[in-house]
Amino acid sequence: MKKLFILPLTLLLGLLLVACSQDKESDSGKKTVNADKTAEETSKDESLKVDKGLLNVEVTIPASFYEGQDIDKAITEAKEEGIKDAVKNDDGSVTYKMSKSVHKKMMKELKESVLKTVEELKTSDDFTSIKDVTYNKSFTEFTLTVNKGEFENSFDSMASMGLAIVGMYYQLFGGTDPEKFKVTVIFKDESNGEVINTVVYPDDLNNEEK
């Protein structure tokens, strides 16, 4: 996989962790009535949930996303920003362990990032052939409706890269098997619905590098 995936992952993870940290600090200022009784009940309840693994989420990011990067530094920064634990595996991948609340907030931020990317593509002056963008609920497939004449005389196919990046991140942090995550981007002619081109990530990137 190309190195261009690395920087967005580092930045995105950092932004999400900061956002979660800020939310946590805000929540800590709220009321704490009946502290002794509530704390005791909460402690018992949480202990039970932890034993069942209901409060923690583990996410594994493939080694290819860290190519050329200092993984140890990335792990240290993740822990400093609120991730409970991060471990480098033998295959070079990294497994992050976080609370369920942090993970929920991260997924919300990731979804917003995907939707923002979609809206930017629909309104951008850089990809004028793109008239509409639709997607499925899991962000594994995006369909770009384009003006065929304009599309074939431009580099607007590169728009698929941005969608692939945010789509893959959403899947990986959502728990998709690192060996199975894919994003399919379909380009269709706005006049008749004809499929002009289909790109599957990361498969097509890997094939280009061979």
Side-chain angles (χ1 to χ4, degrees), residues 85-156:
D85 195 15
V87 178
K88 179 181 178 181
N89 302 310
D90 292 339
D91 62 357
S93 64
V94 176
T95 297
Y96 294 96
K97 184 178 181 179
M98 67 196 79
S99 69
K100 204 166 185 178
S101 61
V102 168
H103 180 257
K104 182 178 180 179
K105 291 174 182 177
M106 291 182 75
M107 293 305 296
K108 178 182 177 182
E109 295 290 332
L110 280 167
K111 181 177 181 179
E112 291 175 353
S113 179
V114 175
L115 298 180
K116 181 179 179 180
T117 300
V118 168
E119 288 305 311
E120 288 177 345
L121 287 179
K122 291 165 66 174
T123 59
S124 174
D125 292 332
D126 296 324
F127 303 103
T128 57
S129 73
I130 299 174
K131 307 305 178 183
D132 193 20
V133 181
T134 57
Y135 46 86
N136 62 3
K137 186 176 181 180
S138 59
F139 300 128
T140 59
E141 182 176 299
F142 296 86
T143 299
L144 281 67
T145 301
V146 304
N147 178 291
K148 185 176 182 180
E150 294 178 10
F151 176 77
E152 293 180 338
N153 291 291
S154 71
F155 293 99
D156 288 3

Side-chain angles (χ1 to χ4, degrees), residues 24 37-56 84 97 99-102:
K24 184 177 181 181
K37 182 178 180 180
T38 302
E40 182 179 357
E41 292 176 350
T42 300
S43 177
K44 291 180 180 179
D45 185 49
E46 288 186 349
S47 295
L48 178 61
K49 290 181 179 178
V50 169
D51 289 340
K52 291 184 177 181
L54 298 179
L55 284 184
N56 296 314
K84 285 186 176 181
K97 184 178 181 179
S99 69
K100 204 166 185 178
S101 61
V102 168

Side-chain angles (χ1 to χ4, degrees), residues 140-207:
T140 59
E141 182 176 299
F142 296 86
T143 299
L144 281 67
T145 301
V146 304
N147 178 291
K148 185 176 182 180
E150 294 178 10
F151 176 77
E152 293 180 338
N153 291 291
S154 71
F155 293 99
D156 288 3
S157 60
M158 295 298 295
S160 63
M161 182 68 72
L163 292 172
I165 291 173
V166 292
M168 286 190 286
Y169 288 160
Y170 186 85
Q171 290 181 58
L172 288 171
F173 280 101
T176 299
D177 187 333
E179 299 296 324
K180 297 180 180 179
F181 72 101
K182 294 183 187 299
V183 172
T184 300
V185 182
I186 302 168
F187 294 89
K188 285 188 176 182
D189 184 354
E190 66 172 340
S191 66
N192 56 18
E194 172 194 359
V195 174
I196 302 171
N197 189 27
T198 299
V199 186
V200 180
Y201 294 90
D203 295 1
D204 286 347
L205 278 179
N206 294 334
N207 291 335

